[in-house]
Amino acid sequence: MAKGLHLSLSLVLVSVIAVTFRAENVSGSPSNFIKSSCSTTTFPNVCVESLSVYANTIQQDPHELVQTALTLSLNRSQSTRAFVTKCNKFRGLKPREYAALKDCAEEISDSCDRLSKSLKELKLCKVKGDDFRWHISNVETWVSSALTDDSTCGDGFAGNALNGKMKDSIRARMVNLAQVTSNALSLITHYASQY
Ligand SMILES: *[C@@H]1O[C@H](CO)[C@@H](O)[C@H](O)[C@H]1NC(C)=O
Ligand SMILES: *[C@@H]1O[C@H](CO)[C@@H](O)[C@H](O)[C@H]1NC(C)=O
């Protein structure tokens, strides 16, 4: 009796494992596509976490993948710009704090413009014709400049006595923005190299 129960429990366990395994369909799932694509980026965990939410859109389409990564970078860039602009309205800022925040907001604005221009250009890369190389290399150049703008903004606070809490929140956002943008650039470069 006890032996029979043990056996049927084992059978249940085996079939549960088998079903789980089949349901995952390891080789051909969007989630695996995202994981393996992200493994070529500098911040693979951030990449997987931020893009997995969009697995339904991305499926296993390399173009959708880079387009989503770039859209995400633009979105983060816009919300960071809004945050920094809000900080700059804070009363009691010292003149140099005000100046550093103002510079930062301008640099992120430039970064937003470049990312938004890149996103339009990337849409032209859907057709893998003669122009593909030209468009994709523009995208690479502009995203790379956006990344430089972001790091310039971070530098502005390095030696500055900006109030601790505000400085930390801005820095955290800037780090995340730089990681997401750097990942988008890696994915774009990889995409470009495949055609
Ligand atoms: C796994 O997914 C691929 C692509 O989505 C599909 O072609 C294949 O039939 C699936 N295999 C199984 C065992 O479900
Ligand atoms: C970007 O922002 C738009 C508008 O808020 C939103 O609809 C979209 O889902 C976001 N996409 C990504 C990839 O973050």
Side-chain angles (χ1 to χ4, degrees):
M1 178 70 186
K3 207 166 188 184
L5 184 63
H6 184 77
L7 186 66
S8 51
L9 274 180
S10 303
L11 277 176
V12 167
L13 200 60
V14 165
S15 41
V16 164
I17 290 172
V19 165
T20 311
F21 198 68
R22 198 163 350 120
E24 240 181 54
N25 192 357
V26 176
S27 64
S29 67
S31 135
N32 254 56
F33 171 68
I34 292 170
K35 270 183 206 142
S36 73
S37 308
C38 283
S39 69
T40 66
T41 65
T42 319
F43 308 99
N45 293 340
V46 173
C47 180
V48 172
E49 273 166 33
S50 57
L51 293 177
S52 293
V53 193
Y54 304 99
N56 274 342
T57 312
I58 295 171
Q59 289 298 319
Q60 297 179 59
D61 180 341
H63 186 88
E64 285 296 336
L65 177 79
V66 289
Q67 191 163 307
T68 306
L70 194 53
T71 306
L72 183 80
S73 165
L74 175 62
N75 282 6
R76 293 277 161 95
S77 194
Q78 287 168 338
S79 62
T80 307
R81 175 180 57 186
F83 183 77
V84 173
T85 306
K86 202 173 83 186
C87 288
N88 212 13
K89 300 208 168 82
F90 200 78
R91 280 161 204 239
L93 289 174
K94 300 188 187 87
R96 63 173 180 185
E97 293 172 345
Y98 180 82
L101 285 168
K102 191 161 174 282
D103 283 351
C104 180
E106 272 163 22
E107 274 137 17
I108 304 181
S109 271
D110 288 347
S111 177
C112 288
D113 291 345
R114 290 187 217 274
L115 293 173
S116 147
K117 200 162 71 159
S118 301
L119 197 53
K120 288 196 190 100
E121 190 82 357
L122 183 65
K123 288 181 180 152
L124 302 175
C125 299
K126 233 174 181 159
V127 184
K128 308 286 180 304
D130 293 340
D131 292 342
F132 179 84
R133 285 256 122 241
W134 163 249
H135 293 308
I136 199 77
S137 75
N138 286 337
V139 174
E140 286 181 88
T141 308
W142 298 335
V143 174
S144 163
S145 311
L147 201 52
T148 310
D149 289 331
D150 293 341
S151 66
T152 313
C153 170
D155 293 348
F157 298 115
N160 220 297
L162 191 60
N163 115 38
K165 215 168 163 188
M166 190 190 279
K167 188 169 167 176
D168 290 348
S169 341
I170 293 179
R171 183 163 290 159
R173 275 163 216 254
M174 292 309 299
V175 167
N176 180 265
L177 174 60
Q179 291 181 341
V180 165
T181 307
S182 154
N183 284 344
L185 184 58
S186 304
L187 295 172
I188 289 163
T189 305
H190 187 72
Y191 176 62
S193 73
Q194 286 180 317
Y195 297 98

mmCIF file of all heavy atoms in Angstrom, residues 101-128:
data_model
loop_
_atom_site.group_PDB
_atom_site.id
_atom_site.type_symbol
_atom_site.label_atom_id
_atom_site.label_comp_id
_atom_site.label_asym_id
_atom_site.label_seq_id
_atom_site.Cartn_x
_atom_site.Cartn_y
_atom_site.Cartn_z
ATOM 1 N N LEU A 101 22.476 71.373 -12.523
ATOM 2 C CA LEU A 101 21.204 70.749 -12.901
ATOM 3 C C LEU A 101 20.733 71.239 -14.264
ATOM 4 O O LEU A 101 20.203 70.457 -15.063
ATOM 5 C CB LEU A 101 20.137 71.046 -11.846
ATOM 6 C CG LEU A 101 20.256 70.265 -10.536
ATOM 7 C CD1 LEU A 101 19.342 70.852 -9.474
ATOM 8 C CD2 LEU A 101 19.923 68.798 -10.767
ATOM 9 N N LYS A 102 20.941 72.524 -14.516
ATOM 10 C CA LYS A 102 20.518 73.093 -15.785
ATOM 11 C C LYS A 102 21.309 72.448 -16.930
ATOM 12 O O LYS A 102 20.741 72.057 -17.943
ATOM 13 C CB LYS A 102 20.713 74.605 -15.760
ATOM 14 C CG LYS A 102 20.072 75.340 -16.897
ATOM 15 C CD LYS A 102 19.909 76.825 -16.539
ATOM 16 C CE LYS A 102 19.400 77.624 -17.718
ATOM 17 N NZ LYS A 102 20.468 77.922 -18.704
ATOM 18 N N ASP A 103 22.633 72.339 -16.743
ATOM 19 C CA ASP A 103 23.481 71.686 -17.752
ATOM 20 C C ASP A 103 23.025 70.256 -17.975
ATOM 21 O O ASP A 103 22.924 69.784 -19.104
ATOM 22 C CB ASP A 103 24.945 71.640 -17.291
ATOM 23 C CG ASP A 103 25.624 72.995 -17.446
ATOM 24 O OD1 ASP A 103 25.009 73.888 -18.062
ATOM 25 O OD2 ASP A 103 26.759 73.145 -16.944
ATOM 26 N N CYS A 104 22.770 69.575 -16.886
ATOM 27 C CA CYS A 104 22.370 68.178 -16.964
ATOM 28 C C CYS A 104 21.070 68.029 -17.766
ATOM 29 O O CYS A 104 20.964 67.190 -18.647
ATOM 30 C CB CYS A 104 22.210 67.611 -15.557
ATOM 31 S SG CYS A 104 21.722 65.889 -15.529
ATOM 32 N N ALA A 105 20.086 68.893 -17.458
ATOM 33 C CA ALA A 105 18.806 68.834 -18.166
ATOM 34 C C ALA A 105 19.011 69.067 -19.662
ATOM 35 O O ALA A 105 18.382 68.409 -20.500
ATOM 36 C CB ALA A 105 17.827 69.847 -17.591
ATOM 37 N N GLU A 106 19.943 69.985 -19.992
ATOM 38 C CA GLU A 106 20.205 70.258 -21.412
ATOM 39 C C GLU A 106 20.872 69.062 -22.089
ATOM 40 O O GLU A 106 20.530 68.712 -23.222
ATOM 41 C CB GLU A 106 21.093 71.498 -21.562
ATOM 42 C CG GLU A 106 20.274 72.766 -21.634
ATOM 43 C CD GLU A 106 21.096 74.022 -21.377
ATOM 44 O OE1 GLU A 106 22.336 73.986 -21.544
ATOM 45 O OE2 GLU A 106 20.481 75.041 -20.999
ATOM 46 N N GLU A 107 21.803 68.440 -21.372
ATOM 47 C CA GLU A 107 22.474 67.277 -21.962
ATOM 48 C C GLU A 107 21.496 66.121 -22.173
ATOM 49 O O GLU A 107 21.528 65.440 -23.189
ATOM 50 C CB GLU A 107 23.662 66.838 -21.095
ATOM 51 C CG GLU A 107 24.923 67.605 -21.444
ATOM 52 C CD GLU A 107 25.715 68.058 -20.224
ATOM 53 O OE1 GLU A 107 25.476 67.529 -19.126
ATOM 54 O OE2 GLU A 107 26.569 68.946 -20.382
ATOM 55 N N ILE A 108 20.619 65.909 -21.190
ATOM 56 C CA ILE A 108 19.629 64.838 -21.372
ATOM 57 C C ILE A 108 18.647 65.182 -22.492
ATOM 58 O O ILE A 108 18.196 64.305 -23.210
ATOM 59 C CB ILE A 108 18.864 64.521 -20.071
ATOM 60 C CG1 ILE A 108 19.862 64.163 -18.971
ATOM 61 C CG2 ILE A 108 17.927 63.336 -20.271
ATOM 62 C CD1 ILE A 108 19.214 63.817 -17.670
ATOM 63 N N SER A 109 18.343 66.480 -22.644
ATOM 64 C CA SER A 109 17.474 66.882 -23.750
ATOM 65 C C SER A 109 18.101 66.534 -25.092
ATOM 66 O O SER A 109 17.431 66.028 -25.992
ATOM 67 C CB SER A 109 17.242 68.389 -23.724
ATOM 68 O OG SER A 109 16.147 68.683 -22.936
ATOM 69 N N ASP A 110 19.401 66.815 -25.213
ATOM 70 C CA ASP A 110 20.114 66.458 -26.445
ATOM 71 C C ASP A 110 20.057 64.955 -26.649
ATOM 72 O O ASP A 110 19.839 64.464 -27.762
ATOM 73 C CB ASP A 110 21.594 66.869 -26.355
ATOM 74 C CG ASP A 110 21.768 68.380 -26.443
ATOM 75 O OD1 ASP A 110 20.789 69.065 -26.811
ATOM 76 O OD2 ASP A 110 22.872 68.872 -26.124
ATOM 77 N N SER A 111 20.260 64.245 -25.565
ATOM 78 C CA SER A 111 20.235 62.797 -25.609
ATOM 79 C C SER A 111 18.856 62.278 -26.078
ATOM 80 O O SER A 111 18.761 61.395 -26.930
ATOM 81 C CB SER A 111 20.590 62.288 -24.214
ATOM 82 O OG SER A 111 20.523 60.918 -24.151
ATOM 83 N N CYS A 112 17.787 62.886 -25.552
ATOM 84 C CA CYS A 112 16.421 62.522 -25.968
ATOM 85 C C CYS A 112 16.223 62.767 -27.466
ATOM 86 O O CYS A 112 15.637 61.929 -28.158
ATOM 87 C CB CYS A 112 15.379 63.348 -25.219
ATOM 88 S SG CYS A 112 15.181 62.912 -23.493
ATOM 89 N N ASP A 113 16.728 63.919 -27.941
ATOM 90 C CA ASP A 113 16.582 64.229 -29.366
ATOM 91 C C ASP A 113 17.289 63.191 -30.229
ATOM 92 O O ASP A 113 16.757 62.745 -31.243
ATOM 93 C CB ASP A 113 17.176 65.608 -29.684
ATOM 94 C CG ASP A 113 16.356 66.734 -29.074
ATOM 95 O OD1 ASP A 113 15.211 66.462 -28.665
ATOM 96 O OD2 ASP A 113 16.869 67.866 -29.003
ATOM 97 N N ARG A 114 18.497 62.824 -29.810
ATOM 98 C CA ARG A 114 19.256 61.845 -30.599
ATOM 99 C C ARG A 114 18.581 60.480 -30.589
ATOM 100 O O ARG A 114 18.547 59.776 -31.600
ATOM 101 C CB ARG A 114 20.665 61.692 -30.042
ATOM 102 C CG ARG A 114 21.527 62.912 -30.273
ATOM 103 C CD ARG A 114 22.944 62.607 -29.843
ATOM 104 N NE ARG A 114 23.607 63.733 -29.224
ATOM 105 C CZ ARG A 114 24.252 64.686 -29.875
ATOM 106 N NH1 ARG A 114 24.321 64.649 -31.190
ATOM 107 N NH2 ARG A 114 24.830 65.678 -29.238
ATOM 108 N N LEU A 115 18.042 60.096 -29.436
ATOM 109 C CA LEU A 115 17.388 58.789 -29.342
ATOM 110 C C LEU A 115 16.104 58.770 -30.164
ATOM 111 O O LEU A 115 15.776 57.774 -30.809
ATOM 112 C CB LEU A 115 17.098 58.427 -27.884
ATOM 113 C CG LEU A 115 18.332 58.165 -27.019
ATOM 114 C CD1 LEU A 115 17.940 57.983 -25.558
ATOM 115 C CD2 LEU A 115 19.104 56.938 -27.505
ATOM 116 N N SER A 116 15.408 59.900 -30.141
ATOM 117 C CA SER A 116 14.159 59.958 -30.879
ATOM 118 C C SER A 116 14.420 59.933 -32.396
ATOM 119 O O SER A 116 13.719 59.255 -33.160
ATOM 120 C CB SER A 116 13.405 61.187 -30.380
ATOM 121 O OG SER A 116 12.661 61.767 -31.345
ATOM 122 N N LYS A 117 15.480 60.625 -32.817
ATOM 123 C CA LYS A 117 15.908 60.608 -34.217
ATOM 124 C C LYS A 117 16.354 59.183 -34.612
ATOM 125 O O LYS A 117 16.052 58.697 -35.695
ATOM 126 C CB LYS A 117 17.079 61.589 -34.361
ATOM 127 C CG LYS A 117 17.379 62.070 -35.740
ATOM 128 C CD LYS A 117 18.251 63.339 -35.703
ATOM 129 C CE LYS A 117 19.675 63.015 -35.261
ATOM 130 N NZ LYS A 117 20.674 64.045 -35.671
ATOM 131 N N SER A 118 17.052 58.516 -33.688
ATOM 132 C CA SER A 118 17.525 57.153 -33.944
ATOM 133 C C SER A 118 16.372 56.182 -34.139
ATOM 134 O O SER A 118 16.432 55.281 -34.976
ATOM 135 C CB SER A 118 18.353 56.636 -32.769
ATOM 136 O OG SER A 118 19.457 57.455 -32.545
ATOM 137 N N LEU A 119 15.327 56.392 -33.330
ATOM 138 C CA LEU A 119 14.177 55.496 -33.411
ATOM 139 C C LEU A 119 13.495 55.620 -34.776
ATOM 140 O O LEU A 119 13.104 54.620 -35.380
ATOM 141 C CB LEU A 119 13.206 55.835 -32.276
ATOM 142 C CG LEU A 119 12.161 54.807 -31.914
ATOM 143 C CD1 LEU A 119 12.785 53.444 -31.631
ATOM 144 C CD2 LEU A 119 11.372 55.276 -30.702
ATOM 145 N N LYS A 120 13.401 56.852 -35.282
ATOM 146 C CA LYS A 120 12.813 57.061 -36.618
ATOM 147 C C LYS A 120 13.691 56.406 -37.678
ATOM 148 O O LYS A 120 13.202 55.768 -38.608
ATOM 149 C CB LYS A 120 12.689 58.554 -36.919
ATOM 150 C CG LYS A 120 11.607 59.228 -36.121
ATOM 151 C CD LYS A 120 11.242 60.587 -36.723
ATOM 152 C CE LYS A 120 10.327 61.363 -35.784
ATOM 153 N NZ LYS A 120 11.080 62.379 -34.997
ATOM 154 N N GLU A 121 15.003 56.575 -37.518
ATOM 155 C CA GLU A 121 15.953 56.024 -38.484
ATOM 156 C C GLU A 121 15.915 54.488 -38.460
ATOM 157 O O GLU A 121 16.011 53.836 -39.496
ATOM 158 C CB GLU A 121 17.362 56.528 -38.146
ATOM 159 C CG GLU A 121 18.421 56.245 -39.190
ATOM 160 C CD GLU A 121 18.424 57.259 -40.338
ATOM 161 O OE1 GLU A 121 17.560 58.152 -40.364
ATOM 162 O OE2 GLU A 121 19.306 57.131 -41.213
ATOM 163 N N LEU A 122 15.770 53.955 -37.258
ATOM 164 C CA LEU A 122 15.743 52.494 -37.122
ATOM 165 C C LEU A 122 14.557 51.893 -37.880
ATOM 166 O O LEU A 122 14.645 50.801 -38.430
ATOM 167 C CB LEU A 122 15.681 52.105 -35.643
ATOM 168 C CG LEU A 122 15.709 50.613 -35.338
ATOM 169 C CD1 LEU A 122 17.036 49.995 -35.744
ATOM 170 C CD2 LEU A 122 15.448 50.338 -33.859
ATOM 171 N N LYS A 123 13.448 52.636 -37.916
ATOM 172 C CA LYS A 123 12.276 52.131 -38.625
ATOM 173 C C LYS A 123 12.569 51.952 -40.114
ATOM 174 O O LYS A 123 11.980 51.108 -40.773
ATOM 175 C CB LYS A 123 11.071 53.033 -38.381
ATOM 176 C CG LYS A 123 10.591 52.833 -36.950
ATOM 177 C CD LYS A 123 9.387 53.647 -36.544
ATOM 178 C CE LYS A 123 9.070 53.299 -35.091
ATOM 179 N NZ LYS A 123 8.417 54.374 -34.352
ATOM 180 N N LEU A 124 13.522 52.767 -40.621
ATOM 181 C CA LEU A 124 13.903 52.656 -42.032
ATOM 182 C C LEU A 124 14.774 51.421 -42.279
ATOM 183 O O LEU A 124 15.067 51.072 -43.413
ATOM 184 C CB LEU A 124 14.676 53.904 -42.477
ATOM 185 C CG LEU A 124 13.944 55.239 -42.302
ATOM 186 C CD1 LEU A 124 14.869 56.394 -42.660
ATOM 187 C CD2 LEU A 124 12.693 55.280 -43.162
ATOM 188 N N CYS A 125 15.225 50.775 -41.204
ATOM 189 C CA CYS A 125 16.081 49.593 -41.332
ATOM 190 C C CYS A 125 15.269 48.317 -41.437
ATOM 191 O O CYS A 125 15.825 47.223 -41.435
ATOM 192 C CB CYS A 125 17.010 49.463 -40.126
ATOM 193 S SG CYS A 125 18.126 50.834 -39.910
ATOM 194 N N LYS A 126 13.971 48.449 -41.491
ATOM 195 C CA LYS A 126 13.131 47.258 -41.553
ATOM 196 C C LYS A 126 13.329 46.537 -42.881
ATOM 197 O O LYS A 126 13.281 45.319 -42.953
ATOM 198 C CB LYS A 126 11.657 47.636 -41.360
ATOM 199 C CG LYS A 126 11.043 46.812 -40.256
ATOM 200 C CD LYS A 126 9.651 47.240 -39.915
ATOM 201 C CE LYS A 126 9.157 46.359 -38.778
ATOM 202 N NZ LYS A 126 8.060 46.972 -38.039
ATOM 203 N N VAL A 127 13.560 47.324 -43.917
ATOM 204 C CA VAL A 127 13.823 46.753 -45.230
ATOM 205 C C VAL A 127 15.325 46.521 -45.350
ATOM 206 O O VAL A 127 16.105 47.460 -45.195
ATOM 207 C CB VAL A 127 13.364 47.719 -46.344
ATOM 208 C CG1 VAL A 127 13.535 47.096 -47.709
ATOM 209 C CG2 VAL A 127 11.926 48.135 -46.102
ATOM 210 N N LYS A 128 15.711 45.268 -45.601
ATOM 211 C CA LYS A 128 17.139 44.961 -45.636
ATOM 212 C C LYS A 128 17.717 45.207 -47.024
ATOM 213 O O LYS A 128 18.293 44.344 -47.639
ATOM 214 C CB LYS A 128 17.401 43.502 -45.222
ATOM 215 C CG LYS A 128 16.774 43.088 -43.909
ATOM 216 C CD LYS A 128 17.517 43.678 -42.733
ATOM 217 C CE LYS A 128 16.909 43.279 -41.400
ATOM 218 N NZ LYS A 128 15.471 43.605 -41.246
#
